[in-house]
Each structure stands twice: as structure tokens, then as C-alpha cells.
Amino acid sequence: GRQLVASKNSGKYVNSPETSVFSKKRILYGFDKAVRAITSDARHEVIVCEGQIDCIRLQTSGFPNAVAGQGTAFTDEHVQMLSKAADLVTLVYDDDAAGHKATIKSARLCLAAGLAVRVVSLPDGDDPDSFARKHTLEEVQEFIDTHEQDFIAFKTDLLLSEAGNDPLKKANLINDIADTIAQIPDPVKRSTYADAAAAKFGIESSILFERTNKTRRAMKEEVMKGEARAERIAQSQD
């Protein structure tokens, strides 16, 4: 259920529990209706929002390529579904601390799957449902076109605003951005993003490359360790 009248005594959503019959982490709301629009779009773009009502509002307002999670965190299973049809993911989450956290987590999963990620931040107090109710299709599309931001740039700007003039915080966020870029499988895209982020930070690209390569090596080692553990388990069962 979704709260229709604002109240401080209850959350915006009341979600049903995860069950073997209704596994929310494996179901992407609206995907069955959106998949044709996604594959026929020139950019193979999908719009991802947080709630079912947001998805319904966008689809009925002229955005048939909209989908939503089931009121829970975006998952690897959701990304696997999207990667079969989409090349570009546009995240339209709430523009608050919780929304920013969800955006960063969802984008990280999408980047690791090789998908391009854009972020659209709606005006304060609006979610996709309320924004689409107050504006025409053309106005919503114009807002998306003029406000969509590459995810790496979005995250860089967000962390820079939080770090202020604190040099330690800035150093930590540079490492954070480098670790995010390291999730991107394509080396050319990694290089492009690293150059752009370094320019924003006012540092040499080589600094980001060094951290990114270190993270990639650590990721590869973890995969190899996991494969070795799986092999040992398989051998013990034989």
C-alpha cells in the first residue's frame, strides 16, 4: 500500500514481506509492459523509479519505458533483467538522502553490468508520480532532457558538496569515485570517466588510474578466491 494522505505516524509505503511466492528481488515492476518500448527506443533507454505508483504514473503519462523496484533495494536480478533489453539506465529517485543512497547503490550495480547510467534529480518534494501529475508529457520530457546527468558526474558533485574544504574528506571521496569507476568493465569507458572525474577534482588522471587499477586487481583476486572455494567444495562432494 501507499500513503495517500501525509502523516508523520506512518511511512510512505507499507510493503508486503519477501516470500517464496512473491520474490520482490526477482520481479521488476512494469518490465513486462516496458520491454518493447525499451528495445524499440533509439538509445535502448529504461527509466527506473523507486515505487510502483511512480511507474504507473510515468507509463500512463507517456513514458512506456518506465519500471520500478518492489519498494525494496534494486538487486542484481533486476539488473540482469534490464541488461537483456537496455543499454542506458536513467534513475529517477527521490532527491533526498535516502534517494541519493539508493541511486548510488543501483547505479553501481548497473555500471558493473556494462550499462550506461544517467540520473535525474526532481525538484524538492517531488517524486515521479507527483511531478508527472503537475506537468504535461512535453514538460516532463524537457525537464529530463535538461537535467539528466551522467552518474559519475552526479556522484562527484554530490560528494564534493558534502566534503567542503576538508582535505581528508576530499581524498576519501576521490578514492570512492575511483572505486566506482573500477566497476565499469569496458577499459575505454573507464579511461573516459577517469579523465572527466580527475578534471573535476583538479588532479592528474594518473592518480585515479592508479587507484582504479588497484581496485580492479582486488576485484579479480576476490573472483579467483571464490572460484577456488567453489572448486574445493565440488571436489569434497565428489
Side-chain angles (χ1 to χ4, degrees):
R2 185 183 190 275
Q3 185 186 79
L4 298 179
V5 179
S7 171
K8 295 181 180 179
N9 299 321
S10 66
K12 186 176 181 180
Y13 295 98
V14 177
N15 296 307
S16 58
E18 180 85 6
T19 70
S20 58
V21 175
F22 179 40
S23 179
K24 293 179 284 186
K25 68 180 182 179
R26 293 186 174 89
I27 298 174
L28 195 57
Y29 188 81
F31 184 69
D32 59 319
K33 296 178 176 60
V35 64
R36 181 174 295 180
I38 296 168
T39 54
S40 61
D41 179 73
R43 300 196 298 177
H44 289 178
E45 178 185 13
V46 60
I47 298 174
V48 179
C49 43
E50 290 184 88
Q52 294 97 327
I53 299 299
D54 293 327
C55 175
I56 293 171
R57 179 65 63 184
L58 288 177
Q59 286 200 5
T60 56
S61 296
F63 297 91
N65 59 333
V67 300
Q70 298 289 338
T72 58
F74 208 57
T75 66
D76 281 319
E77 288 84 354
H78 292 151
V79 175
Q80 289 171 15
M81 292 176 67
L82 287 182
S83 63
K84 295 176 182 178
D87 293 326
L88 170 63
V89 177
T90 298
L91 298 172
V92 190
Y93 288 176
D94 291 350
D95 190 21
D96 55 21
H100 294 162
K101 184 177 180 180
T103 296
I104 290 172
K105 182 177 180 181
S106 299
R108 193 180 182 93
L109 294 175
C110 292
L111 288 175
L115 297 168
V117 184
R118 302 286 186 270
V119 178
V120 175
S121 298
L122 296 175
D124 290 343
D126 269 325
D127 56 24
D129 171 46
S130 63
F131 190 74
R133 279 190 280 114
K134 294 186 293 187
H135 298 85
T136 65
L137 166 63
E138 292 74 20
E139 289 171 339
V140 176
Q141 186 62 64
E142 182 182 3
F143 185 90
I144 291 175
D145 292 341
T146 56
H147 289 79
E148 68 176 6
Q149 189 177 20
D150 175 82
F151 170 68
I152 299 297
F154 164 82
K155 185 176 181 181
T156 301
D157 291 343
L158 178 66
L159 295 183
L160 277 173
S161 67
E162 294 174 352
N165 295 320
D166 188 319
L168 180 58
K169 287 183 178 179
K170 186 175 180 179
N172 289 335
L173 77 86
I174 290 174
N175 287 335
D176 191 338
I177 292 297
D179 291 345
T180 300
I181 294 173
Q183 304 299 315
I184 301 171
D186 187 278
V188 175
K189 291 180 180 178
R190 284 201 308 272
S191 176
T192 301
Y193 280 120
D195 285 340
K200 274 184 173 289
F201 292 129
I203 61 175
E204 294 292 331
S205 298
S206 59
I207 297 174
L208 276 179
F209 282 124
E210 183 178 351
R211 173 72 183 202
T212 299
N213 292 334
K214 179 181 179 180
T215 302
R216 295 281 304 175
R217 289 193 296 271
M219 290 165 57
K220 186 176 181 179
E221 289 173 2
E222 283 300 313
V223 170
M224 293 175 64
K225 288 179 182 178
E227 292 174 346
R229 284 195 297 269
E231 186 177 349
R232 287 197 300 270
I233 293 173
Q235 290 175 348
S236 66
Q237 291 175 342
D238 292 340

